[in-house]
Amino acid sequence: MEREDMLRIFFVGVGGQGVLLATRLIGEAGLLGGVPVSMSEVHGMAQRGGVVESTVVLGNRASAVIGEGEADVMVAFEPLEALRALPKCHKGSLVITNTAQIPPFSVTQGASKYPPIDEITTILSRAVGNFYTIDALNIALRAGSEQAVNVVLVGFLTGLMENYGNKIFPSLDLLTKATELIVPQKFLQTNLKAFEMGYEESKKIR
């Protein structure tokens, strides 16, 4: 968050949450704005709800790899995955987590327990400089599709970047254009609505 010539964004979630589409949207919007973009993705066992990680680096850096303590921004689609990925962040990182929980396989099989959400958010908020939660699933459902959680989170991040005055992150107009280019026509209106609702949610923050 300190540097204006580069922004390293780390995404983490589980299979089926649209992590990779969120990454593409920001990468495409960055390119539309003439900003150098590097992206990478790591697939887990997506079809079984496994972990999915991806990165997008905006600015003059050749590698898309984000090492330990290097993420300027982390967007977590699931709270426990946010906790697991916390070592990617540093004290000045901005972290967003969706509050909707998806219990991992070990929890559903009774081998372990899902930590209380309050414990997770307390740890996260104490570890980084800027921490936000959002019930992206609820907003996506109100927009018309639970599949739009990813776009809600991108909209929320876009608004926060505006709030912080970040110059390298793509503008609202560029993100909207990227959504129109990437999202299939039959899902477009729902996704644009979800994006707008996520964006507006960020403007409620004082």
Side-chain angles (χ1 to χ4, degrees):
M1 292 294 292
E2 294 87 1
R3 297 181 58 174
E4 286 294 329
D5 60 340
M6 182 174 67
L7 189 67
R8 294 167 291 201
I9 307 172
F10 184 81
F11 294 88
V12 63
V14 300
Q17 288 190 293
V19 174
L20 302 183
L21 177 61
T23 311
R24 265 189 78 198
L25 286 175
I26 293 175
E28 181 68 28
L31 291 173
L32 289 172
V35 174
V37 174
S38 300
M39 295 192 294
S40 73
E41 54 192 57
V42 177
H43 298 266
M45 298 171 66
Q47 68 275 34
R48 297 184 184 180
V51 178
V52 177
E53 299 177 351
S54 64
T55 66
V56 57
V57 178
L58 303 170
N60 293 310
R61 191 189 190 202
S63 173
V65 174
I66 298 178
E68 301 285 292
E70 288 188 340
D72 301 305
V73 175
M74 179 169 77
V75 180
F77 286 54
E78 204 282 329
L80 189 55
E81 296 308 326
L83 193 58
R84 286 176 172 164
L86 185 57
K88 290 287 185 182
C89 300
H90 54 78
K91 275 289 184 183
S93 298
L94 182 153
V95 173
I96 299 168
T97 185
N98 179 21
T99 55
Q101 301 166 35
I102 301 177
F105 185 71
S106 60
V107 172
T108 59
Q109 294 302 302
S112 61
K113 291 185 178 179
Y114 196 103
I117 186 71
D118 288 349
E119 287 185 14
I120 294 175
T121 56
T122 297
I123 293 170
L124 291 169
S125 64
R126 289 176 177 171
V128 298
N130 307 282
F131 175 66
Y132 300 92
T133 61
I134 178 173
D135 188 349
L137 177 58
N138 181 44
I139 294 172
L141 288 170
R142 286 194 279 120
S145 171
E146 65 177 308
Q147 304 303 320
V149 162
N150 51 358
V151 185
V152 171
L153 288 167
V154 172
F156 188 66
L157 175 60
T158 302
L160 286 181
M161 289 292 102
E162 279 187 4
N163 294 350
Y164 281 95
N166 188 278
K167 304 298 184 189
I168 199 168
F169 191 83
S171 67
L172 174 63
D173 287 346
L174 289 174
L175 262 302
T176 301
K177 189 176 292 185
T179 304
E180 292 170 346
L181 287 172
I182 293 173
V183 173
Q185 192 63 35
K186 62 181 178 180
F187 303 123
L188 180 57
Q189 290 309 311
T190 299
N191 277 264
L192 288 174
K193 184 177 180 182
F195 178 83
E196 181 181 357
M197 291 174 72
Y199 176 82
E200 292 301 327
E201 196 70 16
S202 73
K203 300 306 175 185
K204 297 176 183 176
I205 296 171
R206 300 295 180 187

